[in-house]
Amino acid sequence: MSVAEAIDHRIPQHLADKLAEPHAYATDEIHEAYRWLRKNEPLGVAKIDGIDPFWVVTKHADILEISRQNALFHNGDRSPTLTTQQVDQRVRAMMGGSPHLLRTLVQMDAPDHPKYRLLTQAWFLPQNIRSLDERIRQIARTAVDKMAATGGRCDFVKQIALHYPLHVIMTILGVPEEDEPLMLKLTQELFGAADPELGREQTPRPDPEPGKEFDFGVIKDFMDYFQALSERKRKTPTDDLGSLIANARIDGQPISDFEAMSYYIIVAAAGHDTTSSSTGGAMWALAERPGEVAKVKSDPSLIPGLVEESIRWTTPVKTFMRTATADTEFAGRQIGKFDWLMLCYASGNRDEDVFEDPFEFRVDRQPNKQLSFGYGAHVCLGQHLARMEMRILWEEMLPRLKSVALDGEPAMSDAVFVNGPKRLPIKFEMS
C-alpha cells in the first residue's frame, strides 16, 4: 500500500498543514504539532493540497534507523526537501526530468555519493581541522572585540553570529573577504526564500506557497559567482578548498561544471548558516537563563556541552525528505516503493523517550544524543568544524561576558528546511 492510499494513519489536517507552513517553524506551533505526533501518530501520513502525500517521521529512533538504511531510503530519487507539485514540475522541466536544481552530496546516493564526499572529506576530519585552531581563534577574538565595541547593546545575530562562521568557511574556501557580504546575502535568500524579511522578494506574504524553499534566481547568481571563481582557481590553484573543487576528478575524469558549482554552493551556504543559527540559538537561550550562563562561566569544561545543547535546541536543519526504494514494513507501517518520508529532526531532538525535560536548555545535559547532523552515510561533512568554531567562540567570549539579557523581541526565520534566529537584540556587560 502506498502513502497515497494510506488512510488508517492520516494525521489531522491542521497538523499536516503546519508541516508545510514556513511560519510555523518560526514559532512554537511546529513543536506543539510534533509533540502531538510523537504521542499519537509517530509515523503518520500528511496529505496537503498541492503537495504529494508523505510519511511524517517524528521519533528519534525512527529517524536514526531510516538514516542508517541508505540503500532502502534514498536522497536523490525525489527532492530531498519538501516541495510543491507545481515547483517539482517546473524543476523537472528545467532540468531534463531531474527533480534537482543542484547536484550536491544532499542529492546523491551510492555509488556517486561516497566518491564525491571523499573529494573534500579530508579537509573536515578532526585531525586536519586542528591545524586551523589558531586561525579560527583569531577570527573569534575579532568577533568578540567587535561585540564589545558595540557598547553593551547589539543584534547578536546580525552583527556577530552571521559573520563569524561566514568568515571562517570563506577563508577555507578561498573566497575573497570583500565578497563575504554577497555570500551572506545569497545564503539568506536561498534558505529564507519564504521569509518576508530574508527572501529576495522581501514583501509580506501572509500565505506563502507551501514548500517554497528556493529561489531560482538566487541559485543562478550563486552559480555565476562560483563559475568565475572556479575559472580563476583552475588557472591559478592555491592551497584552499575552492581550488580542490575546481580541479576535482572522479574516476579519472574532471567533474562537470554543474557538479562543481553545486559543490561550491553547498559548502558556501550550509558551511556557515547552520553554525550561525546554532550560535544565535545558544545566545538566545543563555540570555533568558542567567543560571546557565553562570554555570558554564564557572566551569569552562561545560563549553562542549553548551555547543551540543545549542545544536539540539536550535536544530538548524529542520527536515529532510527520503524516498523508499522498495516496498517495506517499517515501524508497523507498510511503506510503498517511491513513497516520500519527512525526517523531522527538530522533533527527534525533543523526543521525550530520549531526552529528559527536552524543552529545557541545559549546558550540562548528559548524555546528549542530538541528531542535528544526521546519521549514516549522509552525516554532516562539516560537523567537526562547526563544533570547533562554536567551542572556540565561547572560549573567547565567556571569560569576558559578565551578563547578558534580551533587549527586545527576537525572531526566527520562516522556513521548512533550514531555519534559525534572524534577529536577536541583547544587552550585556563585558570586560
Side-chain angles (χ1 to χ4, degrees):
M1 180 175 64
S2 72
V3 66
E5 300 167 323
I7 56 174
D8 292 344
H9 301 289
R10 183 169 176 176
I11 67 179
Q13 194 61 49
H14 72 285
L15 297 180
D17 290 341
K18 290 296 178 191
L19 297 168
E21 181 184 317
H23 187 63
Y25 292 79
T27 71
D28 287 337
E29 292 177 13
I30 196 63
H31 285 295
E32 292 166 5
Y34 286 155
R35 198 197 307 243
W36 188 95
L37 291 170
R38 286 193 301 272
K39 182 178 179 180
N40 300 284
E41 199 64 80
L43 185 54
V45 173
K47 295 189 177 182
I48 305 167
D49 288 346
I51 297 177
D52 287 343
F54 55 91
W55 295 96
V56 184
V57 188
T58 54
K59 294 292 288 182
H60 188 283
D62 292 342
I63 294 168
L64 282 184
E65 187 58 32
I66 288 171
S67 300
R68 285 189 186 103
Q69 299 192 45
N70 300 112
L72 182 57
F73 298 103
H74 270 187
N75 273 39
D77 295 351
R78 300 174 68 173
S79 173
T81 59
L82 186 67
T83 190
T84 64
Q85 293 163 344
Q86 183 180 20
V87 170
D88 183 63
Q89 291 167 6
R90 184 180 173 194
V91 170
R92 290 176 187 271
M94 291 173 59
M95 305 304 294
S98 168
H100 311 304
L101 280 173
L102 298 171
R103 193 164 191 260
T104 73
L105 294 176
V106 171
Q107 287 84 16
M108 292 182 185
D109 298 291
D112 285 351
H113 178 265
K115 295 178 182 178
Y116 282 79
R117 186 179 175 96
L118 194 60
L119 286 176
T120 60
Q121 184 168 275
W123 270 82
F124 298 103
L125 292 175
Q127 59 266 38
N128 290 334
I129 63 171
R130 277 195 288 270
S131 66
L132 300 173
D133 184 289
E134 189 50 44
R135 190 191 313 181
I136 293 174
R137 196 167 295 277
Q138 185 54 54
I139 295 171
R141 287 175 187 144
T142 301
V144 175
D145 288 343
K146 179 181 176 183
M147 180 174 164
T150 64
R153 277 188 158 87
C154 74
D155 185 321
F156 182 77
V157 166
K158 293 181 179 179
Q159 293 174 258
I160 307 300
L162 288 177
H163 300 280
Y164 165 61
L166 174 73
H167 188 47
V168 172
I169 198 65
M170 294 306 154
T171 299
I172 292 171
L173 198 54
V175 170
E177 187 171 353
E178 60 266 26
D179 292 342
E180 289 179 13
L182 173 63
M183 291 292 100
L184 178 58
K185 176 176 180 289
L186 291 177
T187 299
Q188 291 186 308
E189 290 175 342
L190 179 71
F191 291 139
D195 189 289
E197 295 178 32
L198 302 179
R200 178 160 288 191
E201 297 175 24
Q202 292 199 339
T203 54
R205 292 189 296 265
D207 187 22
E209 179 184 350
K212 179 181 178 183
E213 288 297 310
F214 298 115
D215 186 301
F216 297 91
V218 174
I219 291 176
K220 181 182 183 301
D221 288 350
F222 256 130
M223 286 195 163
D224 288 346
Y225 177 87
F226 283 116
Q227 184 67 56
L229 180 77
S230 184
E231 289 172 3
R232 295 199 302 271
K233 298 293 184 183
R234 285 173 183 154
K235 289 178 182 176
T236 313
T238 52
D239 184 21
D240 55 44
L241 191 58
S243 295
L244 187 153
I245 295 170
N247 298 282
R249 303 174 77 88
I250 295 287
D251 295 332
Q253 298 298 316
I255 64 173
S256 70
D257 280 350
F258 178 62
E259 289 168 336
M261 297 311 105
S262 298
Y263 220 130
Y264 281 123
I265 291 171
I266 195 67
V267 172
H272 67 88
D273 186 81
T274 52
T275 305
S276 64
S277 290
S278 292
T279 304
M283 182 60 85
W284 184 342
L286 293 174
E288 294 180 320
R289 297 167 177 83
E292 296 302 296
V293 178
K295 196 183 295 182
V296 73
K297 277 181 63 64
S298 66
D299 183 1
S301 71
L302 292 175
I303 288 176
L306 166 62
V307 169
E308 292 302 306
E309 184 70 342
S310 68
I311 296 165
R312 180 192 76 88
W313 186 252
T314 312
T315 314
V317 178
K318 292 295 188 292
T319 62
F320 259 126
M321 308 299 291
R322 294 287 191 270
T323 303
T325 61
D327 293 343
T328 187
E329 181 177 330
F330 184 86
R333 306 288 188 261
Q334 297 300 317
I335 309 292
K337 185 178 182 179
F338 299 128
D339 276 4
W340 219 15
L341 302 91
M342 174 186 271
L343 305 186
C344 301
Y345 298 103
S347 176
N349 277 340
R350 295 289 197 282
D351 191 336
E352 295 82 358
D353 290 342
V354 177
F355 301 98
E356 182 183 9
D357 295 329
F359 288 87
E360 292 297 323
F361 183 91
R362 296 178 175 174
V363 298
D364 55 357
R365 182 179 294 280
Q366 287 292 342
N368 191 338
K369 299 179 180 179
Q370 59 84 11
L371 43 69
S372 299
F373 290 122
Y375 195 79
H378 285 277
V379 67
C380 175
L381 187 63
Q383 61 170 319
H384 304 299
L385 177 62
R387 285 187 173 101
M388 181 181 184
E389 289 177 70
M390 287 186 271
R391 172 181 58 78
I392 289 174
L393 181 66
W394 292 117
E395 286 173 351
E396 295 297 325
M397 183 185 298
L398 284 170
R400 298 178 59 183
L401 187 67
K402 295 180 178 179
S403 67
V404 61
L406 294 180
D407 191 34
E409 193 67 32
M412 297 279 285
S413 62
D414 295 5
V416 175
F417 175 35
V418 175
N419 91 324
K422 65 179 178 181
R423 184 170 57 252
L424 181 57
I426 59 171
K427 54 186 177 182
F428 55 90
E429 288 186 73
M430 293 185 76
S431 60

